[in-house]
Amino acid sequence: MAIQYQPEKRIFTLITKHTTYQMQVDAFGFLLHLYYGKRIAGDLDYLLPYYDRGFSGSPSDAENNRTYSLDVLPQEYPVLGVGDYRNSALILRDADGCECCDLRYVRYEMKKGKYGLTALPAVFASDHEAETLEIVLEDAVNKVQVRLLYGVLAKEDIITRSAVIINKGSREVVVEKAASACLDFLSGDYDLISFYGRHTMERNLQRTQIAHGSFSIGSRRGTSSHQYNPAVILAKKDTTDETGGCYGMMFVYSGNFSFEAEKDQFGQTRAIMGLAREQFHYPLKKNEKIVVPETVLCYSDKGFSGLSKIYHRCIREHICRGKYVKTKRPLLLNSWEAAYFNIDGDTICRLAKDAADLNLDMIVMDDGWFGKREDDNSGLGDWHFNEQKMGCTLQELTDKVNKLGVKFGIWIEPEMVSEDSDLYREHPDWVLCFPGRKAVRCRNQLVLDFSREDVRKLIFERICSLLDQGNIAYVKWDMNRSIADVYSGENAPGKVTYDYMLGVYDFLEKLIKRYPEILIEGCSGGGGRFDAGMLYYTPQIWCSDNTDAADRLRIQYGTSFFYPASTIGAHVSAAPNHQTGRNISLHTRGIVAMAGTFGYELDPGLLSEEEKEEIREQAGRYRQYEDLIREGMYYRLSDPFEAPYAAWMFVSEDRDTALCSIVILENHSNPPIHYVKLRGLDKDAVYEDKESGKRYYGSALMEAGLPMPLVKEDYPAWQMIFTRVTGI
Ligand code: GLA
């Protein structure tokens, strides 16, 4: 049993293969957190501190016992207004305007299988893979109920948490803040690893000490954002990529979020993951509820790579859905960096011909094919194929492309509208906009109110009528701005950001149900909505609008901590690179893009015969190793923000095959030799380097490393295949 309950002490224990999570309902009915970490045995209530602490009050039912204070005790779901002055998981305003909610234990329920969440993405698992614990807490005065949900995937070392807040009282309450997970640590110093960035430079790693005070990251942009990713790690001071203890908290949500880490007056650490507080005031009438998106928790004592391994598996096996998750993905040629808006039917057919000639599977017709769309100032919302510009119908185009031997993919941006569009002229009231004000423009586009069903319905119909017109195998779903004007004509303003996200998810769910054969790739100006929520609908996401191989190494490094290569869209683009002007060899660009779902983003018409031949070879190589890249164990071999080289490898589950990639980042005269140490191999096995035929013991490759040759070139790269052989 992964979930155990001891009625005498009212202790709940969640047990996974390597971890233990324990909590207790105390004498007053508060749900206290006892422990989360490496698997241990016994009751851990002895850990709790009871001392009279000045200015830390006690609930009235503790009577004269001044040693009992929620300000000191670790809790599962701390609430503002009951004497805990630290960050709270829930802030509730009642009909009298009081910000208070006193949650006490009511009952629990255990079930086989993993709970699901209405209208939200969540980890899924079969009945024999998971168990669910639901603990119900209630406020006796306002009758607000909180159902805490715990999903335990024992074999995967995963614990998920969500909360459902229901108003059982007769008067309206407003949820002002809601989190799904709180982790309280009684002792220890922790570092916080978070991933910050900007458009075209996402997910840089930051490691900071969690000091006294409160540190927070999050998004108020309506998307999970380029700026902060909704997944963080809390690590012990000495934890490295290879060793040490660390906790992961990954939010399965694509909208506004908030993560807070706090060290309190007694050196205790609290970490909270949930919805952002800004522009969120969720009113609940009698019997209404809000479901707080799920946080996926995990503890590893094997460093960050141990944590990554668990999250990669969890995302691949328990979050991503659809027929493409475990199958080969099409190698594609995307028209964006090849031609930008300058496309017509002939350009697409020419690119399709090139794609076929280059041994690729698909042409993706990116932006520029619909409505009036010569640049990014107009046309969004008019999802009609522009036959005049394109010189054919969509059906004719897809037929021609298919006849050339490749599949056809299309770009859409359903959530957006241009002011210069028929849709906006017909429905100017369909955009998010504060009354009496002009909406904030971003890329000259406005945001459709996807919290409204009528808006979604019309866009859905338009998208479906488009997808029904030809043989479309792939859709790139884009979202190219942050949301600013959080106001909907129909909905209470404080509900908009959350309901907008539910609307997007509803749309996506309907789309994948109706078109199970279509592969959908997520995108938001590259990686502005790269999160586990989107991955529930789109098994791959365009990682960044930055295709420069040197920058991509760092972006993909940061992305790799939580997200597996199977989810990371990575393409080879032209040199000099369109974002940075850097000139990196096609060889190196190919190796870097092979750390994700592979493709090209350039005009093959501008390539030499030699380069085309190299691309054919790259495509062949990717096909040969794509199963390993998609499903193998991923190891970071260096930190490209610090080290003079970037290196990573994929190892098959049986450790028979490994694909190792290395890019030298710094080139100096007469430089030192770099010895790259491999990981994840069988130390006693002998491996052969496919190209050189040289044989090495796994232990030698991992402990002594491989010397990298000296070459006079910028960003030289190597990709090596090692296979297990019988003798040296
Ligand atoms: C975004 C995407 C790009 C491209 C453009 C088209 O920026 O990330 O890949 O599709 O939109 O406008």
Side-chain angles (χ1 to χ4, degrees), residues 468-524:
D468 292 340
Q469 278 171 47
N471 186 16
I472 294 171
Y474 162 106
V475 166
K476 178 172 168 189
W477 175 301
D478 214 337
M479 197 294 190
N480 277 319
R481 63 161 289 178
S482 303
I483 298 175
D485 313 88
V486 179
Y487 188 89
S488 150
E490 309 254 309
N491 236 331
K495 292 176 77 179
V496 172
T497 54
Y498 176 85
D499 287 2
Y500 176 92
M501 240 13 270
L502 293 195
V504 173
Y505 290 147
D506 173 60
F507 195 119
L508 278 161
E509 186 67 31
K510 289 194 171 108
L511 201 66
I512 61 171
K513 286 260 155 61
R514 183 164 163 155
Y515 301 102
E517 298 299 317
I518 294 185
L519 168 64
I520 308 181
E521 175 154 350
C523 178
S524 176

Side-chain angles (χ1 to χ4, degrees), residues 199 336 341 366-367 373 411 443 476 478 480 523-526 542 545 601:
H199 179 222
W336 182 239
F341 291 102
D366 209 284
D367 202 348
R373 189 72 173 166
W411 176 97
R443 208 191 189 201
K476 178 172 168 189
D478 214 337
N480 277 319
C523 178
S524 176
W542 180 228
D545 271 351
E601 189 104 4

